[in-house]
Amino acid sequence: MIYMSRKLHFSAAHVYWVDAWTEEENQRVFGLCSNRHGHGHDYVLEIMVRGELDPRSGIVVNITDIDKVAKELIESELDGKFLDREHPYFRKHIPTTENIVEYLWQALDGKFPDCELYQLILRENHYLHAEKERDSMVRLTRKYHFSAAHRLHSYLLSDEENKRIFGKCNNPNGHGHNYYLDVTVQGEPDSVTGMIMNLADLDHIVDELVIKKFDHKHLNLDTEEFKELNPTSDVVVKVICEMLAPRIPKLFKVGLWETEKNYFEYYA
C-alpha cells in the first residue's frame, strides 16, 4: 500500500457556548473561547489516503481528484464561515477541533476514487491539533514548552564509556534545550462540550506535574525524577508519560522534541 498526504487550508470563526448553561459556567469551561462575538483560526487540514499503485500511471490516485472532493467540501461549507452560526452540523455540535475533524471524516470517507481515506489531521494552530485514523477514536494533541539543562551521564558506565557514547553531551557542567512536549489524549468528543478532555484541566495538570518541575531547571541536579536516572530524552519522555498517566485517564501518548531534529515518543 502507498500512503499519500495532501495539505489544504481554510479560515473560519466559531464560539464555544452551551445555551443551557449560564455565562459563568460557559466561561469556566471554555475560557476565552466563550467570547460571544467569536474568534477564528487559519486551519491546516492534512488528508492522508492509501491504495495500491497503478502500474500504468505510476500513481495511486490523481491529486487533482483529492483536491476536487476536499476543496469542494471545504469551500462550500467551512472556508470563510462562522461555523456555529452558518453550518447546520455545528449549530448542534460545538465546533471544537475534535468535532470538526470528526465531521470531516464522516463527510470525506468513501468519497475519493481508487483509494481509501486513512488519516485526517486538523491543525488549529501550532499548539493544538486533532486527528482521526481509520478504526480509531479521535485524538487531540496539545503542545507545551519548557527550557531545561541536563548532562548525559550514566553511573552504570565508566567515565570513558560515557564520553564515548555521549560526546559533548557528557560535559560535566551540562547543556540545555528548548523542549517541546506533545500530550495526546484519545476518546469520543463529549456530546455537550465537543471536547475529549477539558483543555483547561489538561493545561493545569501538565503545568503542575511537568512544567513547574522542569522549566528552567537542571534535570540532573534540581529534580527528584532524574537524580538516579540519566536524563536522555528517551528517559525523559517515558518519565513524563508515567507522571501524567494517573491524572489523565484518556492519555494516548507523549511526544518530546529535544531539538527540531530529535523527537521521542512514549505510548501510554
Side-chain angles (χ1 to χ4, degrees):
M1 299 286 277
I2 303 294
Y3 293 74
M4 187 194 76
S5 183
R6 184 67 165 169
K7 189 178 291 185
L8 302 172
H9 301 79
F10 67 94
S11 301
H14 60 179
V15 59
Y16 293 2
W17 188 270
V18 177
D19 288 332
W21 293 357
T22 64
E23 183 172 350
E24 290 72 18
E25 182 70 2
N26 276 285
Q27 290 178 352
R28 184 187 68 80
V29 174
F30 298 127
L32 293 175
C33 294
S34 66
N35 172 29
R36 294 307 300 268
H37 297 294
H39 63 285
H41 302 284
D42 294 314
Y43 292 94
V44 180
L45 176 64
E46 298 175 30
I47 303 171
M48 180 173 284
V49 299
R50 65 181 179 182
E52 299 290 344
L53 189 66
D54 184 335
R56 297 171 302 166
S57 66
I59 61 175
V60 172
V61 60
N62 195 318
I63 290 177
T64 58
D65 292 334
I66 300 293
D67 283 351
K68 181 180 179 181
V69 173
K71 283 185 176 180
E72 181 178 340
L73 173 69
I74 289 172
E75 290 176 1
S76 64
E77 296 191 21
L78 305 177
D79 192 34
K81 301 293 194 297
F82 198 118
L83 299 180
D84 44 301
R85 295 179 185 172
E86 300 181 58
H87 195 288
Y89 183 85
F90 296 114
R91 289 193 184 104
K92 299 179 180 179
H93 303 81
I94 294 179
T96 59
T97 318
E98 300 99 301
N99 270 346
I100 298 173
V101 81
E102 181 80 60
Y103 174 78
L104 286 169
W105 182 278
Q106 296 171 7
L108 294 173
D109 191 22
K111 299 299 195 316
F112 299 121
D114 304 319
C115 64
E116 178 183 52
L117 180 61
Y118 176 70
Q119 182 188 58
L120 292 179
I121 300 176
L122 182 66
R123 302 187 184 278
E124 183 178 286
N125 56 50
H126 179 67
Y127 293 95
L128 188 71
H129 72 264
E131 62 185 290
K132 172 85 170 73
E133 289 183 1
R134 182 159 298 282
D135 302 322
S136 78
M137 291 183 285
V138 177
R139 298 172 191 146
L140 185 77
T141 299
R142 182 77 146 172
K143 188 181 293 289
Y144 303 89
H145 169 261
F146 65 94
S147 301
H150 66 172
R151 181 197 184 197
L152 301 189
H153 185 89
S154 171
Y155 296 108
L156 300 177
L157 302 173
S158 67
D159 288 346
E160 291 73 21
E161 288 176 308
N162 274 290
K163 291 177 182 177
R164 177 179 59 82
I165 294 172
F166 300 120
K168 64 181 181 180
C169 296
N170 186 239
N171 171 34
N173 292 313
H175 64 285
H177 299 285
N178 289 316
Y179 291 96
Y180 285 91
L181 179 69
D182 291 344
V183 179
T184 301
V185 293
Q186 176 177 262
E188 296 294 339
D190 184 85
S191 60
V192 176
T193 67
M195 298 187 291
I196 296 173
M197 178 179 179
N198 190 302
L199 283 179
D201 294 338
L202 181 61
D203 290 348
H204 175 75
I205 292 169
V206 174
D207 185 61
E208 177 188 351
L209 297 185
V210 180
I211 307 303
K212 287 181 178 177
K213 287 186 177 181
F214 298 159
D215 190 33
H216 285 73
K217 298 292 194 302
H218 193 300
L219 299 180
N220 309 66
L221 305 177
D222 296 326
T223 71
E224 292 296 325
E225 288 77 11
F226 300 106
K227 281 189 175 180
E228 304 297 329
L229 294 175
N230 186 18
T232 63
S233 290
D234 316 55
V235 172
V236 174
V237 73
K238 180 176 183 292
V239 167
I240 290 176
C241 189
E242 292 172 344
M243 293 165 65
L244 294 176
R247 294 279 299 276
I248 306 175
K250 294 182 178 180
L251 185 66
F252 178 70
K253 69 177 180 179
V254 170
L256 184 69
W257 294 89
E258 181 184 82
T259 68
E260 290 184 357
K261 296 180 179 180
N262 299 336
Y263 175 73
F264 304 79
E265 265 185 0
Y266 192 78
Y267 285 75

